[in-house]
Amino acid sequence: MHNQTENKTPKLDTILSHIGINHDEATGALISPIHFSTTYQHPEFGQSTGYDYTRTKNPTRTNLEEALASIESGQFAIATSSGMSAIVLALDIFPVGAKIVASRDLYGGSFRWFNDQEKRGRFFFDYVVTEKDMLGAISKETDVVYIETPTNPLMIEVDIAKVAKKAHENGATVIVDNTFYTPIYQQPLTLGADIVVHSATKYLSGHNDVLAGAVIVKEAALYEQLLYNLNTTGPVLSPFDSYLVMRGLKTLSLRMQRATQNATEIVNFLRQHAAVKSVLYTGLGGMISFKVKDQSKIPTIINSLSVITFAESLGGVESLITYPTTQTHADIPQAVRASYGLTDDLLRLSIGIEDVSDLIDDLKLALAEGEKNDEV
Ligand SMILES: *Cc1c(COP(=O)(O)O)cnc(C)c1O
């Protein structure tokens, strides 16, 4: 960043498009090299370039981490090997027996790990569905408030600022999983959250070709604890994967805008369709959930799609459809799922950047196939 004017902070889109450039003073390479070396030569006994061993610190990862901190309006970031390792890293700094208030409608993998921790007495969870319940559940006993907003897949939103205020009054730390909205639509640290986690596998990377995670904080004290645990246990992001995330991030803003545009049109289409019972969409981003009137038609609908791919995951340039019941949320018992509205008639779409008319035609055809069987 040596050739940028000091007195003006660039806007988010400029920061994004400039990620990782102009870092190589030795050659002037616009795009920084990928540093594969796991170890670093010391200039002299007792000296270090700042890099010693790649588990501790790697120049390519550092470039990504600076970018992640910047786009989330944080001070420090850690790039991890997956979203799950970011979540584990963030929670592992809390003491044994810590009490956590968490969104009930969580990413299935987060719920699985939370549940395992609870069984071992590592953490205790109080799950809540709405913002009102979350505010009500926070007390002096609470150590951590863990938020997904919007939730996955029910798209329930909470006001981070309101929750953070109540949490801080009670001495609790606020963690937000910002995978769905990304800093384009929501910067939790500016709203009072203490720690942001991401599955960078999703929108941040955006191309379904890299598994990655991120933890971003404002406070040095939190960062030091996270860094100590990171260096001790080693769930770091590889140099090549760090490069891929940087490459993806450059177009984050464009991809999010297009996903929102496409999703808005698809929501309008789905809301008017006779086979659709309800549509869950917040108005921002590419994630849509919808419930069908006849759940038995779900296999036919899914099998009839050809532009939209039936696959897990989300946030890529290509549209995917997921059936949470048997895929992302299969580890949550059916009764628990049903208790908070994650019913077996729900399908989840991750809308990409294709031409929206192709996506709508695809859904039209698949939903029509689903209705055909009615006459049998
Ligand atoms: C996918 C996902 C995770 C887990 O991330 P991985 O990169 O798959 O380990 C966590 N939270 C949310 C909201 C996700 O969508």
Side-chain angles (χ1 to χ4, degrees), residues 72 82-84 86-87 107 110 146-152 160 175-186 188 195-206 212-216 252 255-256 284-287 313-316 348 350:
E72 277 288 7
S82 70
M84 281 318 302
I87 291 165
Y107 172 67
S110 303
Y146 187 92
I147 305 172
E148 266 187 37
T149 181
T151 61
N152 174 9
I160 295 172
I175 304 177
V176 178
D177 181 336
N178 204 26
T179 301
F180 269 37
Y181 267 175
T182 82
I184 300 296
Y185 293 131
Q186 169 172 282
I195 302 177
V196 167
V197 293
H198 271 279
S199 170
T201 313
K202 316 292 168 55
Y203 284 107
L204 297 189
S205 300
V215 185
I216 303 129
L252 175 66
R255 289 186 283 104
M256 291 305 280
L284 293 173
M287 298 305 298
S313 203
L314 62 105
R348 191 188 75 184
S350 169

Side-chain angles (χ1 to χ4, degrees), residues 80 146 157 243 265 282 314:
T80 62
Y146 187 92
E157 290 187 278
Y243 164 78
E265 289 195 38
T282 66
L314 62 105

